[in-house]
Amino acid sequence: MEIFNTIITTQSYLAPFKKNNKTIGFVPTMGALHQGHLALVKQAKAENDIVVVSIFVNPIQFNNKEDLLKYPRTFETDASLLEAEGCDVIFYPDESQMYPEPDQSVYDFGLLDKVMEGKFRPGHFNGVAIVVKKLFDIVLPDKAYFGEKDYQQLQIIKALVEHKNIPVTIIPCPIYREDDGLAMSSRNMRLTAEERKVAPFIYQTLLQAKDKSNQLNPNELTHWVIQQIEENSMLTLEYFEIVDAATLLPVINFNDCQSSIGCIAVFLGDVRLIDNILLE
Ligand code: AMP
């Protein structure tokens, strides 16, 4: 496995593969890897000749300074996990490589980047789009793998690729969970033991919501979820919304869209967790 810190070394290593029509599978990450990330790597490995994983904590997608400072960084462990998965290349740049000067690009994804995460984390998706576009330009992947855990991000990346005509296929990957249902996240390691015990309540509530989606309308169901979360004194709800899985428009009536998804963001202590569930 190769580890490159610069754009030029990464590009020179990958160029001959590209020239020989070898397919490149790409998994962009911010490190602090867990089984959820590794599931993406496994899938990329199965579907491509060569797998590139990037590890870069992208400062411009953090609207909260504290969150950026506290973001876990575990490069040595990440590298050994990736080596064990058969990853071929780690691209591990520092900030000066990625942003020799500030990137002022402004993306507009219409409604996609205004709701939910977009509303509560201003500038977040613009920062995500800037870094993913840069990474795609460097790695030139055939396929890129993104988790459905960050469902809104996945829709934005699909829009980015379409708007910019980037020749890459975006592969959505299912949410990987702990045995108790908690969606795996690099942020989970910041939970205290007590918080960690409470955390599965989020997914349990989503599962119950799915069960209730044939008895309650979206508005009633939303209120039911809000009430469940608010009754738990350790959780602070940021949002729960039921949206059209393709457009992210609010769903007024379940029959009005092909599939709807319930998306949630919750604070547990000072750790912000997100999750989602396909309702129908
Ligand atoms: P991150 O390092 O958090 O930016 O995540 C890198 C990629 O891994 C993104 O495409 C995430 O959606 C994906 N990912 C993170 N956690 C999970 C999970 N629990 N299941 C599936 N994919 C995930």
Coordinates of all heavy atoms in Angstrom, one line a residue, residues 27-31 33-34 36-37 40 61 71 145-150 153 173-177 183-186, ligand 1:
V27 N -12.7 6.2 -2.2 CA -13.4 6.4 -1.0 C -12.9 7.6 -0.3 O -11.8 7.5 0.4 CB -13.4 5.1 -0.1 CG1 -14.2 5.3 1.1 CG2 -13.7 3.9 -0.8
P28 N -13.6 8.7 -0.4 CA -13.1 9.9 0.4 C -13.6 9.8 1.8 O -14.7 9.5 2.1 CB -13.8 11.1 -0.3 CG -14.6 10.5 -1.4 CD -14.7 9.1 -1.3
T29 N -12.6 10.1 2.7 CA -13.0 10.1 4.2 C -12.3 11.2 4.9 O -11.4 11.8 4.4 CB -12.5 8.7 4.9 OG1 -11.1 8.8 5.2 CG2 -12.8 7.5 4.0
M30 N -12.7 11.3 6.2 CA -12.0 12.3 7.1 C -11.2 11.5 8.1 O -10.8 12.0 9.1 CB -12.9 13.2 7.7 CG -13.7 14.1 6.7 SD -14.3 15.7 7.3 CE -15.5 15.1 8.5
G31 N -11.0 10.2 7.9 CA -10.2 9.4 8.8 C -11.0 9.0 10.0 O -12.2 9.0 10.0
L33 N -11.2 5.9 11.1 CA -12.0 4.9 10.3 C -12.7 3.9 11.2 O -12.1 3.5 12.2 CB -11.1 4.2 9.3 CG -10.4 5.2 8.3 CD1 -9.6 4.4 7.3 CD2 -11.5 6.1 7.6
H34 N -13.8 3.5 10.8 CA -14.6 2.4 11.5 C -15.1 1.4 10.4 O -14.8 1.6 9.2 CB -15.7 3.0 12.3 CG -16.6 3.9 11.6 ND1 -17.4 3.6 10.5 CD2 -16.8 5.3 11.7 CE1 -18.0 4.6 10.1 NE2 -17.7 5.7 10.7
G36 N -17.9 1.0 9.1 CA -18.7 1.7 8.1 C -17.8 2.1 6.9 O -18.2 1.9 5.7
H37 N -16.7 2.8 7.2 CA -15.8 3.2 6.2 C -15.2 2.0 5.4 O -15.1 2.0 4.2 CB -14.6 4.0 6.7 CG -14.9 5.3 7.4 ND1 -14.8 5.5 8.7 CD2 -15.4 6.5 6.9 CE1 -15.2 6.8 9.0 NE2 -15.5 7.4 7.9
L40 N -17.2 0.4 2.8 CA -17.1 1.1 1.5 C -15.8 0.7 0.7 O -15.8 0.5 -0.5 CB -17.0 2.7 1.7 CG -18.3 3.5 1.8 CD1 -19.3 3.0 2.8 CD2 -18.1 4.9 1.9
Q61 N -15.5 22.6 5.7 CA -16.8 22.1 5.8 C -17.3 22.1 7.2 O -18.4 21.6 7.5 CB -17.0 20.7 5.2 CG -16.3 19.5 6.0 CD -16.4 18.2 5.2 OE1 -15.8 18.1 4.2 NE2 -17.2 17.3 5.8
Y71 N -12.3 16.9 16.2 CA -12.5 15.8 15.3 C -11.4 14.8 15.5 O -10.2 15.2 15.5 CB -12.6 16.3 13.9 CG -13.3 15.3 13.0 CD1 -14.7 15.2 12.9 CD2 -12.6 14.2 12.4 CE1 -15.4 14.3 12.2 CE2 -13.3 13.3 11.6 CZ -14.6 13.3 11.5 OH -15.3 12.3 10.8
Y145 N -17.4 6.0 -3.8 CA -18.3 5.4 -2.8 C -18.7 6.3 -1.7 O -17.8 6.9 -1.0 CB -17.6 4.1 -2.3 CG -17.4 3.1 -3.4 CD1 -16.3 3.3 -4.3 CD2 -18.3 2.0 -3.7 CE1 -16.2 2.4 -5.4 CE2 -18.1 1.2 -4.7 CZ -17.1 1.4 -5.6 OH -16.9 0.5 -6.7
F146 N -20.0 6.5 -1.5 CA -20.4 7.4 -0.4 C -21.5 6.6 0.4 O -22.3 5.9 -0.1 CB -21.0 8.6 -1.0 CG -20.0 9.5 -1.6 CD1 -19.6 9.4 -2.9 CD2 -19.4 10.6 -0.9 CE1 -18.6 10.2 -3.5 CE2 -18.4 11.4 -1.4 CZ -18.0 11.2 -2.7
G147 N -21.5 6.9 1.7 CA -22.4 6.2 2.6 C -23.8 6.9 2.7 O -23.9 8.1 2.6
E148 N -24.8 6.1 2.8 CA -26.2 6.6 2.9 C -26.4 7.2 4.3 O -27.4 7.9 4.5 CB -27.2 5.5 2.6 CG -27.3 5.2 1.1 CD -28.2 4.1 0.8 OE1 -28.5 3.3 1.7 OE2 -28.5 3.9 -0.4
K149 N -25.5 7.0 5.2 CA -25.6 7.6 6.5 C -25.6 9.2 6.3 O -26.4 9.8 7.0 CB -24.4 7.2 7.4 CG -24.1 8.2 8.4 CD -23.7 7.6 9.7 CE -23.6 8.6 10.8 NZ -22.7 9.6 10.5
D150 N -24.8 9.7 5.4 CA -24.9 11.1 5.1 C -25.7 11.3 3.9 O -25.2 11.5 2.8 CB -23.4 11.6 4.9 CG -22.6 11.4 6.1 OD1 -22.7 12.2 7.0 OD2 -21.8 10.4 6.2
Q153 N -25.7 14.5 1.9 CA -24.4 14.7 1.2 C -24.4 13.9 -0.1 O -23.9 14.3 -1.1 CB -23.3 14.2 2.2 CG -22.0 14.1 1.5 CD -20.9 13.8 2.5 OE1 -20.4 14.7 3.2 NE2 -20.4 12.5 2.6
C173 N -23.8 3.5 -0.6 CA -23.6 2.3 0.3 C -24.4 2.4 1.5 O -24.6 3.4 2.1 CB -22.1 2.2 0.7 SG -21.0 2.2 -0.7
P174 N -25.0 1.2 1.9 CA -25.9 1.2 3.1 C -25.3 1.6 4.4 O -24.0 1.5 4.5 CB -26.4 -0.2 3.2 CG -25.5 -1.0 2.3 CD -24.8 -0.1 1.4
I175 N -26.1 2.1 5.3 CA -25.6 2.5 6.6 C -25.1 1.3 7.4 O -25.8 0.3 7.5 CB -26.7 3.2 7.5 CG1 -27.2 4.4 6.7 CG2 -26.2 3.6 8.8 CD1 -28.4 5.2 7.4
Y176 N -23.9 1.4 7.9 CA -23.3 0.3 8.7 C -23.5 0.7 10.2 O -23.2 1.8 10.6 CB -21.8 0.2 8.4 CG -21.3 -1.2 8.6 CD1 -21.3 -2.1 7.5 CD2 -20.7 -1.5 9.8 CE1 -20.7 -3.4 7.7 CE2 -20.2 -2.8 10.0 CZ -20.2 -3.7 8.9 OH -19.7 -5.0 9.1
R177 N -24.1 -0.3 10.9 CA -24.5 0.0 12.3 C -23.8 -0.9 13.3 O -23.4 -2.0 13.0 CB -26.0 -0.2 12.5 CG -26.8 0.7 11.6 CD -28.3 0.5 11.8 NE -29.0 1.4 10.9 CZ -29.2 2.7 11.2 NH1 -28.8 3.2 12.3 NH2 -29.8 3.5 10.3
A183 N -25.8 4.0 14.3 CA -25.1 4.2 13.1 C -23.6 4.5 13.4 O -23.3 5.4 14.2 CB -25.7 5.4 12.3
M184 N -22.7 3.7 12.8 CA -21.3 4.0 13.1 C -20.9 5.4 12.6 O -21.3 5.9 11.6 CB -20.4 3.0 12.3 CG -20.5 1.6 13.0 SD -19.2 0.6 12.5 CE -19.7 -0.9 13.4
S185 N -20.1 6.0 13.4 CA -19.6 7.4 13.1 C -18.3 7.6 13.8 O -18.1 7.1 14.9 CB -20.6 8.4 13.6 OG -20.1 9.7 13.6
S186 N -17.4 8.4 13.2 CA -16.1 8.7 13.8 C -16.4 9.5 15.1 O -15.6 9.5 16.1 CB -15.3 9.6 12.9 OG -15.2 8.9 11.7
Ligands
AMP1 P1 -16.5 10.7 6.9 O1 -15.1 10.2 7.2 O2 -17.4 10.7 8.1 O3 -16.5 11.9 6.1 O4 -17.2 9.6 6.0 C1 -16.6 9.1 4.8 C2 -17.6 8.3 4.0 O5 -18.0 7.2 4.8 C3 -18.9 9.1 3.7 O6 -19.3 8.7 2.4 C4 -19.8 8.6 4.8 O7 -21.2 8.7 4.4 C5 -19.4 7.1 4.9 N1 -19.8 6.6 6.2 C6 -19.5 7.1 7.4 N2 -20.2 6.4 8.4 C7 -20.8 5.4 7.7 C8 -21.7 4.3 8.2 N3 -21.9 4.1 9.4 N4 -22.2 3.5 7.2 C9 -21.9 3.7 5.9 N5 -21.1 4.7 5.4 C10 -20.6 5.5 6.3

